[in-house]
Amino acid sequence: MTEPAGETVPEAPEDVAHEDGAPSAEPETAGEGGAAAEEAAPELSEAEAELAAQRELRARIEARKAEKSGPVVGGAKLSGTAADLLAAVRAVEGGSASGGAFFAPAPEPPRPARPEAPVPPPAPAAPSAPTAGALAGIREVLARGGAPEALAGRVAAALGEQAAEALAEDPWRLLAVAGVRPEQADGFARALLGGACGPDDPRRAVALTVWLLDRAALQGHTALTAEEVRTGLAGHGVPDPEKAVGTAVSEGAVLLFQEEEPQEDDEALEESEEDRAADGGPAEPPLLGLDRYALAEESLADGLARLVRTVTAEEWDGGELERAVGGHGLVLHTGGEAARAEPMALAATARERGLRVLVTVHDPERPTDEERAAGTVVPLAALLSGTAGPGRDEEGFLALDLLVVLDAPQLDVETGAMLVEALPDGCRLVLGGDPEVLGAAGPGAVFADALAARVCPRVASRRPDPGPLGELVSGIGIGELNQVEAPGKEVVIVPVRDAGEAVHRTVQLVADSVPRAFGLTAEQTRVITVGHGGAAGTRALNTALKQRLNPGPGRFGGYDPGDRVAYAPVPGRTVTGTVLGADAEGLRLRTPDGEVVVPKERVESALRHGWALTAHQAAGGRWPAAVVVLPGDAAPGLSRPWVYTAFGRAERHLSVVHGVDQALPRAVAEVPAPARTTRLRPLLVGLLAAGEEE
């Protein structure tokens, strides 16, 4: 391996000295999406309003479907009455019934025929901001409880117009506000209720149960085992965690599931029943979840099963991928960066067949100008919001015969559900991506669960990523950190002793060494690090990079024209852009989606400087050069998927600012991605197995 002039390169990353005594880095969670994941603001950006409009449209579609299919039998769906739910919960807890019996899907109503000409759906009005009176009432309650009045807007966003009354009645509902910790909510409750509250207060138990599941969603889980929730409650001083869970379930704050593991044959079924009888209970532990993610997972499973059932199989000529798509409604395609050419070629071939085809990608920077102009490749967020892509018919379905989704590992369960619900019967869906990269920033593991379900063709690309970078990243994917020959300085290792030196060398690389060696600008280089905090996290790196690349007083809320920024229009989605200026409405940015305005009250919560990103923020993107920063305190946040994702963002050149010593090869060899607890796989398998029996 070689490096830009002036750097010293050890023979292998393992030879770099380890930095001792460094403080722990702020960990990066699966739910990171920039500052918006930490704070929520009551005002909606344009993107949020557009997504809200699509959610309202989806609700209307579901309402029409329910009307057509007639009354839902009590207990057959999660949307049954509270009494039915409670009866189901008690039956599952008592072992007399399986949860699967209570949550069977209702029959799918017949779909109306598509009109010949698609029409755009009506755009519902965005939710109105809280009134001045409501905010005043919230501030008064917060002041009585000793909480900062500045929380009023976030409380209104989380709890609605009646937030003041809700908090006065149940102070622990303050936990619904992003960033509020249990100890803070306890202090707020004591100030409001005095001696009338205690650690065993049922209201506290319910709020903490919901809070634990919300926190789990930030780590990518759509559910937790009941035992995990009870352990979490005990850790926060709840005297009787089992009773607390029962209270939360009976009040409908959380849902209880008992998933049935699918059986492949009668013999396996008999063995399962024998094991279950011997154990005296169900084989799979009960799960607890929030209705938001439960309904999204069920809707996604229903939609995928519908696509599988409604496509008419055809004989398509071509390679393995073309033949699979011709015969099936759902196909999964796996491979690295080079493999993206295969679904793109599929899309071109399908257009030649006269089909209505679209390719969608996670990162708005990926489509070329030609692809944008032709409308053949669009960012996923723009497709869902209706600002790009084909029109929709009167029922809200996209006018498509084939949709190819690249970067499918970045699909969270709610986005996946919205996407699949918008596809008409008979539409073919190809989910493509690299299963080795970090998963979605939001909850769920859509691509991994679909692969594990084995309910549709899975086509693995044999096309390797080229060059030294491709060789390095491919080795990481199988757990090996190899030294590669890099005659063109494609890979450079820059050893550092501490976090301060890591920041200094990173700025030097971005501003001097990489531009001089490769003729690239600083805008073509992205810095990637483990977390936002720490001495070499995104905050520290962006501060140093701004001082060098675009110094200024930060007169617009800490930003100046020309600053590179990372904007989170909604939690879990990061858009990079450049500051253009500011006016009375807010801060104006130039982004791949066009010019946007960030309201001034959202600048602090939704915006960060963006020369340096976390790997989750960078996933799905690619840049000519990448500088990956690994100071000593980054070691706890490293895993094989993290290293694979970060190193794989570089197209031509990768610099690794290396201070973690043996932690890097150890993470690649021994630390897989943390498992996510989800329900999509058994739901999907169960739905399609039931369809085959019919």
Side-chain angles (χ1 to χ4, degrees), residues 118 158 372 422 550 640 645 656:
R372 286 178 182 275
N550 195 46
R640 183 187 306 160
T645 303
V656 181

Side-chain angles (χ1 to χ4, degrees), residues 325-367:
V325 173
H328 300 83
L330 175 64
V331 175
L332 308 177
H333 179 263
T334 62
E337 186 66 25
R340 296 167 72 97
E342 295 172 8
M344 293 294 291
L346 164 73
T349 301
R351 289 190 193 96
E352 293 174 359
R353 294 176 179 273
L355 300 181
R356 300 169 300 176
V357 182
L358 185 69
V359 178
T360 185
V361 295
H362 175 73
D363 193 318
E365 294 188 65
R366 295 303 288 267

Side-chain angles (χ1 to χ4, degrees), residues 104-196:
E108 181 73 21
R111 298 281 182 179
R114 289 195 307 264
E116 294 184 2
V119 295
S128 59
T131 64
L135 288 174
I138 295 170
R139 292 190 187 96
E140 189 273 331
V141 175
L142 291 173
R144 284 197 288 121
E149 294 184 26
L151 283 177
R154 291 161 57 195
V155 170
L159 301 180
E161 193 78 9
Q162 305 301 317
E165 293 82 352
L167 283 180
E169 181 180 343
D170 182 356
W172 285 282
R173 293 194 65 182
L174 191 65
L175 282 172
V177 179
V180 175
R181 303 283 302 175
E183 56 270 21
Q184 295 169 323
D186 286 340
F188 180 69
R190 284 192 296 270
L192 284 183
L193 304 177

Side-chain angles (χ1 to χ4, degrees), residues 49 52-54 56-57 60 122-126:
Q54 292 303 317
E56 184 168 324
L57 173 63
R60 291 206 302 273

Side-chain angles (χ1 to χ4, degrees), residues 1 8-19 481 492-498 501 630-632 656-665:
M1 292 179 286
T8 302
V9 184
E11 291 191 6
E14 292 85 348
D15 296 332
V16 181
H18 176 61
E19 175 197 353
L481 185 63
V492 172
I493 306 299
V494 182
V496 294
R497 294 180 299 272
D498 54 40
E501 186 181 2
L630 303 174
V656 181
V657 179
H658 190 346
V660 290
D661 195 28
Q662 296 302 308
L664 179 58

Side-chain angles (χ1 to χ4, degrees), residues 409-633:
Q410 304 308 310
L411 278 177
D412 63 80
V413 67
E414 290 185 303
T415 303
M418 289 178 64
L419 181 65
V420 173
E421 287 169 358
L423 298 180
D425 286 0
C427 182
R428 288 170 165 82
L429 174 64
V430 176
L431 298 179
D434 190 339
E436 304 300 328
V437 302
L438 286 168
V446 175
F447 193 54
D449 284 346
L451 286 169
R454 297 180 178 272
V455 296
C456 65
R458 300 179 300 170
V459 179
S461 172
R462 297 175 179 85
R463 186 176 302 195
D465 290 334
L469 281 168
E471 181 183 349
L472 175 65
V473 173
S474 296
I476 293 170
I478 60 174
E480 298 175 359
L481 185 63
N482 300 316
Q483 183 178 2
V484 298
E485 294 295 330
K489 301 181 181 179
E490 293 89 347
V491 182
V492 172
I493 306 299
V494 182
V496 294
R497 294 180 299 272
D498 54 40
E501 186 181 2
V503 173
H504 172 75
R505 299 303 291 273
T506 298
V507 173
Q508 183 184 55
L509 285 164
V510 173
D512 296 325
S513 301
V514 172
R516 184 173 61 249
F518 297 96
L520 300 174
T521 67
E523 291 298 305
Q524 294 174 294
T525 302
R526 194 63 73 245
V527 177
I528 301 171
T529 190
V530 172
H532 293 302
T538 62
R539 296 188 186 101
L541 287 166
N542 278 317
T543 297
L545 287 164
K546 174 174 171 53
Q547 290 175 353
R548 177 63 184 274
L549 299 174
N550 195 46
R555 62 183 183 276
F556 301 133
Y559 300 91
D560 295 296
D563 278 0
R564 190 71 178 171
V565 292
Y567 171 47
V570 292
R573 178 177 178 239
T574 299
V575 178
T576 56
T578 303
V579 175
L580 296 176
D583 52 33
E585 295 182 357
L587 201 64
R588 291 185 293 107
L589 310 179
R590 183 178 62 249
T591 74
D593 294 331
E595 187 173 325
V596 300
V597 177
V598 182
K600 57 183 179 181
E601 58 272 7
R602 295 204 66 226
V603 167
E604 182 178 356
S605 64
L607 210 62
R608 296 182 187 270
H609 283 102
W611 288 282
L613 303 173
T614 65
H616 274 292
Q617 291 176 319
R622 292 264 289 180
W623 295 273
V627 177
V628 177
V629 185
L630 303 174
D633 59 3

